[in-house]
Amino acid sequence: MKMLFLFLLMLIVRVAGVDAQSDITKLSVTYEVHYLNYAEDDSLSRDIAQLDIGTNTSRYYSKVSEWYNFNPVGKAPYPGTKIKNEEVYKNMPNKGLVTAMHWPYWITTQDSINHLFDWQLVEGDSIVCGYPCHKAQTTFRGRTWTAWYTLDLAYNDGPWKLCGLPGLILHAQDSTRQFIFDCTSIEKGDGHTFSFPASKRIRLVTPEKAEELLLFEAADNDAYVYAMSGGRITDRIDAKGRHYKWTPKTAIPYEIFPQNHKKKK
């Protein structure tokens, strides 16, 4: 009996330390996201994103993309939107890490969640989505961010990778206004489960390499797909069934590494 008790105790301790592969939604936060996709764009694109917060983890993703995952045929009920192909998981699949993934997961990065952002609390207050908010600023990988967070929702989380403040981030934007996150609704979680994707396409790279690949993807999409997929390329067909060629573009990433841009010259 004593041996059985020790075995069960060891099993409990072992399970408690296992990294999370799934969680249950306790709070769902919707953001309207405005972003500059390419330097050649005349205006910001718009996506609708959701942050699902669980017991110990969170998942940030495009609601438009999620709708198409379950409704491959039809038009998403989000007019005027364009999907930003990204997902961000905090404390999932590994505790203490922020995992950012660019669909189809060929570009995946991981950062330690502790002290990822060096926030400075500054003077200023506002009301966002009905919640009183305080102001904070940080400089992170080539961008200066201003965030508005609320102490009424004590989650050190927010859109994209943004986190580490003493309350939930409801609004954030970089100083160039190329990326803007604005909370539009906050709802109690409906209890649905979210999981880390089990995909064989996942390739872990450094944040610097991730930016290099994003620039490559935009500049020569056919070559990028060929290189990342193992030599497979499919024809490009638009909504009317017409074939078209990729036009070289200049990506605008969240994170900027000067060495990548020196390589282009």
Side-chain angles (χ1 to χ4, degrees):
M1 181 65 70
K2 183 178 180 180
M3 291 297 294
L4 177 60
F5 172 77
L6 290 174
F7 172 76
L8 291 174
L9 180 61
M10 290 175 63
L11 181 62
I12 291 171
V13 172
R14 186 176 179 183
V15 170
V18 171
D19 293 324
Q21 297 292 330
S22 63
D23 206 343
I24 297 175
T25 305
K26 292 192 170 183
L27 191 74
S28 289
V29 188
T30 301
Y31 297 89
E32 187 167 283
V33 184
H34 294 271
Y35 63 97
L36 191 63
N37 208 18
Y38 303 109
E40 295 78 10
D41 291 346
D42 295 328
S43 60
L44 299 179
S45 296
R46 173 176 168 267
D47 195 6
I48 306 298
Q50 183 162 309
L51 175 67
D52 285 339
I53 300 176
T55 304
N56 300 302
T57 71
S58 68
R59 177 195 180 209
Y60 172 82
Y61 58 97
S62 167
K63 291 184 71 172
V64 186
S65 177
E66 191 83 343
W67 188 91
Y68 279 115
N69 287 340
F70 293 98
N71 303 273
V73 178
K75 188 175 182 180
Y78 303 102
T81 58
K82 182 181 294 184
I83 298 169
K84 187 156 182 60
N85 293 318
E86 62 185 15
E87 297 176 40
V88 178
Y89 296 82
K90 298 186 180 85
N91 290 314
M92 180 184 286
N94 304 112
K95 184 178 180 181
L97 293 180
V98 177
T99 304
M101 315 178 77
H102 178 70
W103 192 89
Y105 310 141
W106 288 330
I107 305 176
T108 299
T109 64
Q110 287 188 328
D111 290 288
S112 173
I113 202 168
N114 290 329
H115 311 298
L116 182 59
F117 297 94
D118 182 20
W119 291 104
Q120 304 298 314
L121 307 186
V122 296
E123 289 290 332
D125 53 59
S126 184
I127 301 293
V128 182
C129 218
Y131 286 86
C133 290
H134 302 281
K135 188 178 182 180
Q137 291 182 331
T138 188
T139 297
F140 180 71
R141 293 176 183 165
R143 294 188 183 276
T144 297
W145 293 90
T146 299
W148 297 91
Y149 65 97
T150 178
L151 297 174
D152 288 359
L153 297 170
Y155 299 94
N156 62 345
D157 212 331
W160 181 56
K161 292 183 179 182
L162 299 175
C163 62
L165 284 166
L168 184 64
I169 297 172
L170 299 186
H171 180 92
Q173 62 186 53
D174 78 305
S175 58
T176 65
R177 293 184 63 84
Q178 291 180 334
F179 296 97
I180 303 170
F181 305 95
D182 192 33
C183 176
T184 57
S185 70
I186 302 170
E187 299 177 354
K188 181 178 179 181
D190 58 10
H192 73 268
T193 299
F194 60 90
S195 304
F196 190 79
S199 173
K200 294 181 180 180
R201 293 177 172 177
I202 295 175
R203 297 186 185 183
L204 193 61
V205 299
T206 65
E208 178 187 356
K209 183 65 175 180
E211 195 213 18
E212 183 182 326
L213 289 171
L214 289 170
L215 293 171
F216 178 28
E217 179 191 35
D220 192 341
N221 194 262
D222 287 336
Y224 167 81
V225 173
Y226 187 86
M228 303 298 285
S229 66
R232 295 187 298 273
I233 284 187
T234 57
D235 289 337
R236 298 187 178 281
I237 302 176
D238 63 18
K240 296 183 178 180
R242 299 172 298 191
H243 293 264
Y244 68 96
K245 291 184 178 181
W246 180 263
T247 301
K249 299 175 182 177
T250 307
I252 303 296
Y254 284 114
E255 300 170 14
I256 303 169
F257 295 87
Q259 52 268 46
N260 284 332
H261 301 271
K262 288 179 182 177
K263 293 174 185 176
K264 294 172 59 181
K265 296 179 181 180

